[in-house]
Amino acid sequence: MLRVPCWRVGARLRGLRGGLQAPAESGRRGVVSCIDPSTGLNEEQKEFQKVAFNFAAREMAPNMAEWDQKELFPVDVMRKAAQLGFGGIYVRTDVGGSGLSRLDTSVIFEALATGCTSTTAYISIHNMCAWMIDTFGSEEQRHRFCPPLCTMEKFAAYCLTEPGSGSDAASLLTSAKRRGDHYVLSGSKAFISGGGEADIYVVMCRTGGPGPKGISCIVVEKGTPGLSFGKKERKNILMEVPQRRRVLPDPEGRFFEGLSPGIGEPGGQDAALSGQLLGSHTAPDFCQVGWNSQPTRAVIFEDCAVPVANRIGDEGQGFLIAMKGLNGGRINVASCSLGAAYASVILTRDHLKVRKQFGEPLASNQYLQFKLADMVARLVASRLMIRSAAVALQEGREDAAALCSMAKLFATDECFAVRADALCLSWVTGMWWAVRPLLERCICNQALQMHGGYGYLKDCAVQQYMRDSRVHQILEGSNEVMRILISRSLLQE
């Protein structure tokens, strides 16, 4: 009985397009038309969007919960998406891409994310990798790597983060030493989406001295001797296993292993910090809250010999390539958050109309009306900011990087729950009451709250949208780093 209000999200999303278009066609305006994601788009973009919405509703949304709970990587569904042109959306057409703009891409990812945010986020990373090869690779590399990526016959993974270098990406340690016509790679990458399943790894590694100018970009193909993978990161078992392996990195990127007691058991923190030094290439075995439809693993290089012909761009150009890729990646992941928030708003609106308390539908409660209005205002503001940044990036404007950072910061904060800086401050000061208004005003978390107990069930889609969008505040540059980039851009004027 408890599952009825939230179940069958696919069926409800299949009606999304009709529900959106009806008010506009009839000349009437309503709650749905004021958040219509097709507003401001030309006819061609509306067609891209319609195709993406339909695919999300028919192929993704009905399977979203199963992919999450069983941790399935939906290869066949993604290849169907590639048949629609979604495997290389902003890759040039001569190598099999769709050749669309950054704005077109954002529109497509927002629509796809309503069906499964986690899967769409992986597709966005795959697209980013394909674009990097298409943009910075030689003609031979473009025609060798991009066609199978655009059809998703092969999948790509972006390898920048390391155990000891997250936000400080320029300090990465993975080395690539030139030996004749090969580079020999040694080191490891952490939290790699698609790790172990992907066929092509776009790896940032050190070919020169310290700092960003010593970094190059090299493509490593699956099956190359010396390439291996850590264990698949465990998902959503934090409360299920009384004792678990804990592997924590030290500042040099090595790992310590210890056996951690279960939650609430004495000595938990001390036990987690004790243990045996395992060495620089030992893979961690972490728990992960969301993004369960894509495998996340460490990628390990042990004397991995890769042809020099696989280097993308010149030596020392890798950090620039990585940052250029991330500018678009930030728009992409913000668009995924937007799709999760949009679907959450639609589901919440429908729930308020159906659910009755005190003899009336929840929709008649003015307090909840105000909350819904706040959610809608933040949704539309996020969409406008993302699309503005996408246009700036497409045009190559000087302020594009800052605008991409703003869009990613604002949209991923507003669409999920609460700003990370406010959460940290409340933890330090103990002033949790100060964070509550921020939690209540953001979209996915508020959607769950307005569903009440139903929202906390695994069968309810809003909890999955919230879990899958949480990590967007961390990846593609944490939101704290976004603030640094934004302020730096302004202060350097």
Side-chain angles (χ1 to χ4, degrees), residues 290-348:
W291 271 29
N292 292 322
S293 69
Q294 50 175 289
T296 306
R297 293 184 175 92
V299 177
I300 304 162
F301 308 97
E302 296 178 294
D303 294 328
C304 181
V306 181
V308 172
N310 281 21
R311 187 190 68 223
I312 304 298
D314 298 327
E315 274 200 6
Q317 196 181 5
F319 193 76
L320 172 66
I321 294 172
M323 295 303 106
K324 292 284 188 182
L326 285 178
N327 284 336
R330 286 161 186 160
I331 295 175
N332 295 344
V333 77
S335 301
C336 292
S337 287
L338 190 61
Y342 176 59
S344 296
V345 167
I346 295 296
L347 294 173
T348 302

Side-chain angles (χ1 to χ4, degrees), residues 106 326-338 378-379 381-393 399-416 472-473 476-479 482-483 485-486:
S106 174
L326 285 178
N327 284 336
R330 286 161 186 160
I331 295 175
N332 295 344
V333 77
S335 301
C336 292
S337 287
L338 190 61
R378 287 175 172 80
L379 174 70
S382 297
R383 181 180 290 136
L384 293 173
M385 187 173 282
I386 291 169
R387 292 183 179 180
S388 174
V391 171
L393 186 61
D399 62 348
L403 290 175
C404 291
S405 298
M406 292 181 199
K408 195 264 185 184
L409 167 66
F410 186 84
T412 59
D413 274 355
E414 295 296 329
C415 291
F416 168 66
H472 298 174
Q473 294 174 293
E476 313 293 44
S478 70
N479 284 6
M482 297 303 99
R483 289 177 172 87
L485 297 177
I486 294 164

Side-chain angles (χ1 to χ4, degrees), residues 162-165 173 247-256 277 279-280:
E162 296 184 359
S165 60
L173 297 176
V247 189
L248 305 175
D250 74 356
E252 297 181 0
R254 300 173 298 178
F255 291 94
F256 291 91
L277 180 63
S280 60

Side-chain angles (χ1 to χ4, degrees), residues 245-247 254-258 276-283:
R245 179 173 176 258
R246 291 289 299 272
V247 189
R254 300 173 298 178
F255 291 94
F256 291 91
E257 181 180 41
Q276 179 183 0
L277 180 63
L278 297 180
S280 60
H281 303 317
T282 300

Side-chain angles (χ1 to χ4, degrees), residues 209-226:
K213 293 184 179 179
I215 297 172
S216 298
C217 177
I218 297 176
V219 170
V220 181
E221 298 178 74
K222 189 176 182 180
T224 302

Side-chain angles (χ1 to χ4, degrees), residues 412-450:
T412 59
D413 274 355
E414 295 296 329
C415 291
F416 168 66
V418 65
R419 296 195 303 268
D421 58 345
L423 190 61
C424 290
L425 180 62
S426 69
W427 179 268
V428 172
T429 63
M431 297 170 64
W432 287 102
W433 55 269
V435 178
R436 185 173 178 180
L438 296 174
L439 280 166
E440 290 181 347
R441 78 184 196 186
C442 299
I443 299 171
C444 288
N445 186 72
Q446 183 59 39
L448 190 153
Q449 183 71 18
M450 292 167 76

